[in-house]
Amino acid sequence: MADTTSIKNNARKILATEFGSVSEDVDGSFFIRNGSAVVFVDFNDYDHNGQNVGIINVWSICVKGLKEINKDLAVELTTDLARLFGSWSFLRAEDGTYGLIFQTHLIGATVDAPELINAVQLVAIVADEEDDKIVRKYGGSVYVSE
């Protein structure tokens, strides 16, 4: 149905049109800065009924350097900070601390401009609005100092 390269090229065109330019890191992820948050856009193969439809993962590290996965934070993320179109997850860093990620996924083969732009904006807004509050309450630091 679609190959990852064509999905990525389509996304690059959409993001460049909306945001003016697209930055790409050494891993091939696109990234966009929003205040103290950075939104990454990654691309992976995903097989559905024998055809690659591709997955676009839109994500941001909201907080880095958390010493532990705090039960109160986990409860808050799944209740007060639950988002209808995104999810929270923890990622353990090599130094033993945790990063808190907010993310959403899209089907790459059928993605259109409004869908991708809305996903990037959703993740950017949530990450930038919540990162400072979470750091004040639970520790760690924002991903990027402004």
Side-chain angles (χ1 to χ4, degrees):
M1 183 175 225
D3 66 84
T4 307
T5 301
S6 64
I7 292 168
K8 186 174 181 177
N9 289 338
N10 181 48
R12 179 185 288 112
K13 185 169 49 172
I14 291 168
L15 295 172
T17 299
E18 179 67 20
F19 299 107
S21 67
V22 177
S23 299
E24 191 169 344
D25 67 14
V26 295
D27 297 323
S29 299
F30 298 147
F31 62 94
I32 298 159
R33 176 112 186 244
N34 182 52
S36 59
V38 177
V39 177
F40 296 92
V41 182
D42 292 331
F43 307 88
N44 295 81
D45 291 331
Y46 184 77
D47 182 73
H48 177 71
N49 292 333
Q51 294 184 344
N52 179 36
V53 295
I55 292 289
I56 300 173
N57 185 21
V58 182
W59 60 282
S60 180
I61 301 172
C62 296
V63 177
K64 63 181 184 175
L66 290 166
K67 302 277 187 227
E68 64 181 354
I69 298 176
N70 181 292
K71 179 184 172 192
D72 293 334
L73 174 57
V75 169
E76 187 172 343
L77 294 173
T78 58
T79 55
D80 300 340
L81 296 179
R83 302 288 187 207
L84 189 57
F85 298 108
S87 62
W88 296 98
S89 61
F90 291 96
L91 179 65
R92 189 176 177 124
E94 289 180 10
D95 66 0
T97 63
Y98 294 89
L100 177 61
I101 295 171
F102 185 74
Q103 64 188 337
T104 191
H105 305 282
L106 305 169
I107 301 296
T110 59
V111 75
D112 61 15
E115 184 180 22
L116 180 57
I117 292 163
N118 286 339
V120 169
Q121 290 174 335
L122 164 79
V123 171
I125 289 167
V126 170
D128 191 47
E129 284 183 3
E130 302 300 339
D131 58 1
D132 292 315
K133 296 175 197 173
I134 293 168
V135 166
R136 278 193 302 276
K137 198 167 181 179
Y138 299 102
S141 62
V142 298
Y143 186 67
V144 176
S145 299
E146 294 184 69

